Amino acid sequence: MRPDLFLSGSLDLDADQDGWVPQADGVWFRPLLLSVSEGYYVNLLRVTKSGVLSRHRHSGPVHAMVLRGTWQYLEHDWIANAGDYAFEPPGETHTLVVPDGCSEMITLFHVSGGYVYVDPQGVPLGYEDVFTKLAAASRHYEAVGRGAGYVEQFVR
């Protein structure tokens, strides 16, 4: 049996700025759980820019809880606002957009499996999964002086 994981203050969104791992310009994630044994991860995604963030297709289900701000998928007619929950079925391709006027979006995502970034024609451009998240977090924590091993507390 894997050990429990407890993170005090994990939803204090403005604390511990070095805990946020840069992912792209204006985009960061903060790992909460990196389950290498079961192939999923739970993280907070922070975006401080508007526009298209990514077009991607998931291999597994995704659960999302919006904590701050707003976002939407171009392929759906709903808009996710703070306090909203969304379920994304495996296999769907969608385009994540943060609308103009939203200065910061933070969403808790539980992602099973991985996802593939695709262009408008569906051609693969790259991928993310628990292992790419683990590697990025390890590099970031080493760079900010916490050591690469800091990320191990999130690994199960």
Side-chain angles (χ1 to χ4, degrees):
M1 178 180 290
R2 289 173 305 284
D4 291 349
L5 175 62
F6 175 79
L7 302 173
S8 180
S10 61
L11 292 184
D12 185 350
L13 305 177
D14 300 314
D16 188 20
Q17 293 306 303
D18 282 345
W20 292 94
V21 178
Q23 184 169 305
D25 181 41
V27 181
W28 299 263
F29 73 91
R30 186 183 335 165
L32 299 177
L33 175 67
L34 301 168
S35 180
V36 298
S37 61
E38 294 183 58
Y40 73 87
Y41 62 91
V42 180
N43 71 181
L44 300 173
L45 179 69
R46 170 184 271 165
V47 181
T48 60
K49 64 179 186 173
S50 61
V52 172
L53 185 60
S54 71
R55 177 177 291 109
H56 56 275
R57 181 174 41 250
H58 294 278
S59 65
V62 175
H63 302 270
M65 176 65 73
V66 185
L67 304 175
R68 187 179 286 170
T70 186
W71 55 270
Q72 65 189 86
Y73 287 131
L74 294 180
E75 297 79 9
H76 294 287
D77 60 1
W78 49 264
I79 297 173
N81 294 294
D84 290 346
Y85 165 82
F87 169 75
E88 303 170 19
E92 181 178 86
T93 298
H94 40 245
T95 309
L96 177 59
V97 176
V98 175
D100 290 338
C102 179
S103 61
E104 181 181 48
M105 178 278 280
I106 300 177
T107 299
L108 185 148
F109 283 101
H110 178 286
V111 179
S112 295
Y115 54 94
V116 177
Y117 294 111
V118 296
D119 72 9
Q121 289 72 45
V123 175
L125 301 172
Y127 73 96
E128 291 271 25
D129 63 13
V130 66
F131 300 103
T132 62
K133 293 291 191 187
L134 175 59
S138 181
R139 287 189 305 270
H140 170 71
Y141 294 133
E142 178 71 22
V144 298
R146 292 186 177 180
Y150 181 82
V151 73
E152 292 300 320
Q153 67 183 305
F154 307 114
V155 176
R156 293 294 182 269

